């Protein structure tokens, strides 16, 4: 949904206790950022364990001790990325002068029209794996729901009835997230921005 984001140091990872006298020689959040970038570039299936070990510069024992598995590091990367995106969306809303301007700021951040053709790591991951990954499906639905709740609350504050606010928020987010696929397909940013302008109709009180 958004460009490359720094992973917060508070990311919760699977941790195996490190033996006394053998402190970990790397920062988990730093190597997780490296794994995220690799997954973003190649996708989950095309990224091998050897690819990860080489890029992260970890031994197998250090990798397994920190992340547990390829699936474990991928899950941590998706969660970290989604959390950072939500922080960005919330900050964009808070900086806006009024609720409707806040909605427009959130939708712009979600679509990230100028973000290039590699798309959004979260959306790419859901597209690749959610059809056969129950855990990722549940997590992705939860993440989308919290973004929708943010937009819904802003619309209610702007004067929309709660149910209408929820419906309009869902439609506006579907449009913004669809824009990510368009930019991956190489549709010019100016064209996508023109299409996103249609969201303005969803922000008009009945």
């Amino acid at each position: 949904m958004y460009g490359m984001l720094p992973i917060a140091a508070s990311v919760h990872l699977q941790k195996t206790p490190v033996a006394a006298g053998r402190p970990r020689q790397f920062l988990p959040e730093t190597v997780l950022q490296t794994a995220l970038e690799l997954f973003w570039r190649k996708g989950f299936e095309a990224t091998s364990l050897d690819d990860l070990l080489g890029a992260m510069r970890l031994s197998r024992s250090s990798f397994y001790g920190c992340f547990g598995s390829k699936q474990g590091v991928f899950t941590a990367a998706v969660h970290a990325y989604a959390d950072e995106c939500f922080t960005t969306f919330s900050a964009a809303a808070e900086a806006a002068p009024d609720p409707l301007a806040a909605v427009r700021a959130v939708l712009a951040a979600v679509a990230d029209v100028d973000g290039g053709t590699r798309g959004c790591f979260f959306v790419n991951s859901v597209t690749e794996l959610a059809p056969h990954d129950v855990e990722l499906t549940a997590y992705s639905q939860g993440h989308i729901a919290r973004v929708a709740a943010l937009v819904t609350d802003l619309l209610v504050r702007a004067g929309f009835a709660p149910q209408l606010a929820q419906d309009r928020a869902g439609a506006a987010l579907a449009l913004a997230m669809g824009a990510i696929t368009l930019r991956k397909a190489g549709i010019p940013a100016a064209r996508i921005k023109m299409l996103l302008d249609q969201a303005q109709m969803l922000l008009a009180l009945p």
Side-chain angles (χ1 to χ4, degrees), residues 3-16:
M4 173 55 71
L5 297 161
I7 291 178
S10 60
V11 171
H12 297 293
L13 306 173
Q14 176 174 331
K15 294 184 176 67
T16 300

Side-chain angles (χ1 to χ4, degrees), residues 25 35 42 48 61 77 123 127 131 143 148 177 179 181 194 200:
Q25 299 299 311
K42 299 186 65 173
S48 69
S61 61
V123 173
T127 301
H143 174 63
M177 295 183 74
T181 300
M194 186 177 70
Q200 298 304 314

Side-chain angles (χ1 to χ4, degrees), residues 70-121:
K70 173 184 167 181
Q71 181 69 48
V73 70
F74 177 77
T75 297
V78 170
H79 289 201
Y81 180 85
D83 286 346
E84 290 290 347
C85 281
F86 188 73
T87 297
T88 297
F89 303 156
S90 299
E94 291 175 5
D98 59 71
L100 287 181
V103 172
R104 288 191 287 269
V106 171
L107 295 178
V110 171
D112 190 23
V113 171
D114 297 314
T117 58
R118 73 173 180 169
C120 161
F121 176 60

